[in-house]
Amino acid sequence: MVDKRIAIIVAAVCLISTNADVLTHKSPIRFPDDFEFGAATAAYQIEGAWNVDGKGRSIWDHFVHTKPESITDGTNADIAANSYYFFKRDVEMLKELGVNNYRFSISWTRIMPFGRPDYINPLGIEYYNNLIDELLANDIAPFVTIYHWDLPQSLQERGGWLNEEIVDWFGDYARVLYENFGDRVKHWLTLNEPYIHCYYSYGVGYHPPLLYSPGEGYYECGRHYLLANARAYHIYDDEFRASQGGLVGFVISMEWGMPATGSAEDVQASRDYAAFHNDHFMHPIFSEQGNYPQIMIDRVAAASARQGLNVSRLRPFSYEQIQYLKGSADFLGLNHYFSTYVYRNSSLEGSFTVPSLEDDIMVGKFKDPSWPHFGMTREYAPGLYYLLNFLKEKYNNPLIYITENGASTLTGLDDDSRVSYIRNYLSSVINAVNEGVNVKGYFIWSLMDNFEWAHGYSLRFGIYEVDMNDTNRKRIPRKSALVYKEIIRSRVIDVSYEPDPYAKEIVMLKGVATFSAPYFVTFALTIFVCLV
Ligand code: GCO
């Protein structure tokens, strides 16, 4: 018994020290000279001006006005950070940071108030022309997300993501953007996060259109997202690539799910979890075979049969569609926030809604209570390192931009937890890059505080704080902005760097934290065990 305990302690301490290797460096590793840094936002979350200059209503405008109780703090994004008016200040902030790239999204209803190209709003085109020109005048490259969840309400009323016609609607919209902005925009991101968008809208019904269809609607939404991405990709390829010479990527959010134990069941649970969460959207595009991952096809087919259905709830793609989807992205836009432990045992049977995504996967998950608190949650930064290596191995080292990664805090400028988050996650990135993973750039989410969807303004993701009570929506850099700026300038992660305005507070904090007894015990044990 005692031996077993010692073995566990030794394993745990070595694990801590292995993690420490990922998180800190004995000698500073530089980001390669061509590695690009950026910051990201999305139209509905920052622009405001929701009904100004001819803009039409999106599903989010409709949702926050008809169901304000669905937003944690009862707020909406009618004004948000008001970037429609303050975009020059946004560009100034990007310049202050020294980033190469800015990822923002275009509001579909600002360009086409009713979603279709029979009417194109000149003032919408003008707004984005001004923003793009301002960025380029400051040597910042625009990375433009074509769709970040703000579907025109009029298209929702025609079925939205559950109607296959959306593939045409989206293609037509993308074409208008290529035509108007493609002379200056060289990086397009078709659609943001199929999993989160479809799951929150249909899998749990907590984002608009508030439809709950967790075993069917969820998969249909994902199917149309994949086809819509491919349509936009092929339109660019066929009609614009030769003259505009840009790249078109797809943004997928991915988690890193680790087996809770070495048992065969938990290991299989982690494979299944990856298949449903990550490979669901990666495999059709980035694998050689194409199509949904086989694990997913098999599990949903088996569950559907058990439920007495004659066909699988995961509608199969035709041979032509599989070919059409294959290779339909020049790069992967990876959004990553979370890691989790996953497991499977008999207690899970019957614990999920039938039918549903959760019931189809049948895994339980939890976070390790020993993971450090970054922002509002416990996180495990090495998860990103492992995820990047997994993508390299499984998908033949695709070109990757990390299009989102970040942490939430409450209001306040002293965001040490976000500073640690950025340093730790960027350490994972730099280590992966060093080992040959083809990550070309990183975008922090987010440039500034914004409307965090159903959480309203109760969660703050900005490295710039925005005073939501000030009519000028004053933006002030948090400590994390200054740290990020220094990483970009020096191209190394220096954990001892403290931005000047905070130096005094930090010295005081260090006096308390650094010399605590548990720290020394852990440190001494680690050295001892791992040297022996
Ligand atoms: C998402 C979206 C962002 C969020 C961010 C923080 O991932 O949900 O792309 O719009 O604001 O991820 O949750």
Side-chain angles (χ1 to χ4, degrees):
M1 184 65 192
V2 173
D3 278 359
K4 198 173 166 197
R5 271 195 211 150
I6 291 175
I8 291 171
I9 292 170
V10 169
V13 172
C14 282
L15 190 72
I16 293 168
S17 95
T18 321
N19 291 344
D21 264 359
V22 177
L23 303 178
T24 58
H25 307 291
K26 289 164 198 95
S27 58
I29 312 179
R30 282 179 67 81
F31 282 96
D33 290 341
D34 61 354
F35 189 88
E36 300 164 19
F37 290 94
T41 61
Y44 183 69
Q45 296 181 273
I46 61 162
E47 283 179 3
W50 74 283
N51 58 354
V52 167
D53 289 348
K55 180 181 169 296
R57 261 182 329 147
S58 76
I59 51 173
W60 274 92
D61 295 317
H62 180 76
F63 179 58
V64 296
H65 295 141
T66 52
K67 300 237 180 279
E69 68 281 4
S70 307
I71 311 298
T72 312
D73 55 3
T75 57
N76 59 49
D78 288 0
I79 303 176
N82 225 359
S83 287
Y84 189 68
Y85 298 105
F86 300 134
F87 72 89
K88 288 202 174 165
R89 170 66 182 133
D90 297 347
V91 178
E92 194 178 87
M93 282 141 54
L94 294 159
K95 193 75 186 164
E96 281 166 14
L97 290 169
V99 294
N100 312 87
N101 305 323
Y102 179 42
R103 175 182 176 220
F104 62 93
S105 81
I106 290 189
S107 152
W108 192 331
T109 54
R110 218 179 269 297
I111 302 291
M112 298 189 264
F114 303 102
R116 303 290 294 135
D118 46 2
Y119 176 70
I120 295 177
N121 175 21
L123 295 176
I125 300 283
E126 189 182 317
Y127 170 66
Y128 294 108
N129 270 335
N130 290 339
L131 171 58
I132 291 166
D133 291 346
E134 184 74 11
L135 287 167
L136 294 175
N138 284 282
D139 281 329
I140 297 162
F143 275 56
V144 177
T145 314
I146 298 176
Y147 177 77
H148 201 124
W149 304 358
D150 44 357
L151 188 72
Q153 176 62 20
S154 53
L155 298 184
Q156 182 56 51
E157 282 156 17
R158 293 164 69 180
W161 284 104
L162 298 190
N163 181 346
E164 191 154 341
E165 278 184 63
I166 199 159
V167 178
D168 297 333
W169 303 335
F170 182 71
D172 293 344
Y173 164 50
R175 181 183 287 105
V176 170
L177 301 195
Y178 300 149
E179 275 164 359
N180 281 279
F181 309 119
D183 56 335
R184 288 151 294 153
V185 173
K186 300 302 164 196
H187 290 88
W188 294 98
L189 299 153
T190 55
L191 298 130
N192 185 62
E193 296 189 353
Y195 166 65
I196 301 285
H197 191 39
C198 295
Y199 184 68
Y200 284 6
S201 303
Y202 301 97
V204 281
Y206 111 92
H207 278 186
L210 277 197
L211 287 173
Y212 182 61
S213 176
E216 283 162 344
Y218 167 74
Y219 293 121
E220 282 295 283
C221 172
R223 172 194 179 83
H224 297 147
Y225 232 75
L226 280 164
L227 289 167
N229 166 71
R231 175 65 56 83
Y233 178 84
H234 288 294
I235 289 175
Y236 192 81
D237 223 23
D238 297 343
E239 302 172 31
F240 298 91
R241 192 186 296 277
S243 58
Q244 299 186 348
L247 296 178
V248 180
F250 185 41
V251 180
I252 307 178
S253 62
M254 290 187 220
E255 298 174 17
W256 180 244
M258 298 168 283
T261 70
S263 77
E265 273 185 315
D266 289 354
V267 170
Q268 188 56 45
S270 76
R271 291 198 185 115
D272 295 350
Y273 190 76
F276 277 81
H277 283 269
N278 304 343
D279 302 325
H280 178 175
F281 300 104
M282 277 301 283
H283 202 268
I285 302 176
F286 290 95
S287 71
E288 267 168 37
Q289 315 87 305
N291 203 0
Y292 292 126
Q294 196 60 43
I295 288 182
M296 191 178 170
I297 295 174
D298 293 345
R299 285 194 74 88
V300 186
S304 303
R306 278 198 307 276
Q307 289 145 14
L309 303 175
N310 296 324
V311 291
S312 174
R313 285 177 281 100
L314 183 67
R315 203 149 53 99
F317 285 124
S318 68
Y319 175 79
E320 289 70 28
Q321 285 171 324
I322 291 171
Q323 304 311 313
Y324 191 67
L325 295 175
K326 253 169 59 177
S328 60
D330 298 316
F331 64 95
L332 164 67
L334 173 65
N335 289 1
H336 174 77
Y337 291 89
F338 307 116
S339 285
T340 185
Y341 277 108
V342 296
Y343 64 93
R344 177 175 290 146
N345 60 37
S346 54
S347 74
L348 296 171
E349 303 281 341
S351 64
F352 303 110
T353 304
V354 179
S356 70
L357 167 70
E358 288 87 348
D359 187 66
D360 291 336
I361 316 179
M362 196 60 71
V363 302
K365 51 183 201 168
F366 64 92
K367 287 194 191 284
D368 188 326
S370 73
W371 289 348
H373 254 288
F374 293 134
M376 305 292 286
T377 61
R378 294 192 174 280
E379 278 318 327
Y380 177 69
L384 177 55
Y385 167 83
Y386 295 121
L387 174 62
L388 289 169
N389 275 289
F390 166 83
L391 292 171
K392 173 183 171 213
E393 296 310 320
K394 180 149 189 185
Y395 292 106
N396 195 22
N397 209 10
L399 172 60
I400 300 176
Y401 279 91
I402 295 173
T403 36
E404 278 181 39
N405 173 244
S408 63
T409 56
L410 302 174
T411 49
L413 298 179
D414 231 341
D415 57 345
D416 283 292
S417 61
R418 181 179 286 106
V419 166
S420 319
Y421 183 99
I422 293 174
R423 284 178 172 154
N424 282 270
Y425 276 84
L426 275 176
S427 294
S428 281
V429 175
I430 210 174
N431 280 301
V433 169
N434 234 18
E435 289 165 21
V437 181
N438 194 10
V439 184
K440 186 79 195 302
Y442 172 94
F443 291 78
I444 185 80
W445 183 274
S446 175
L447 175 60
M448 67 193 119
D449 286 345
N450 55 56
F451 182 76
E452 178 53 21
W453 309 111
H455 296 286
Y457 302 104
S458 65
L459 296 183
R460 302 299 184 108
F461 272 90
I463 56 172
Y464 278 71
E465 176 160 87
V466 179
D467 183 349
M468 297 292 172
N469 298 316
D470 170 31
T471 45
N472 292 319
R473 294 297 192 271
K474 189 163 181 213
R475 291 125 155 84
I476 308 171
R478 291 202 165 101
K479 180 175 173 181
S480 56
L482 305 178
V483 167
Y484 190 45
K485 175 184 172 147
E486 175 60 15
I487 293 173
I488 296 170
R489 190 201 62 77
S490 63
R491 308 192 79 78
V492 297
I493 303 163
D494 175 1
V495 287
S496 64
Y497 172 76
E498 294 298 344
D500 276 351
Y502 298 90
K504 203 171 118 231
E505 290 91 308
I506 296 311
V507 169
M508 284 165 59
L509 279 175
K510 272 195 175 154
V512 180
T514 319
F515 299 105
S516 67
Y519 174 86
F520 271 126
V521 172
T522 312
F523 181 72
L525 247 176
T526 306
I527 299 288
F528 173 73
V529 173
C530 296
L531 284 183
V532 175

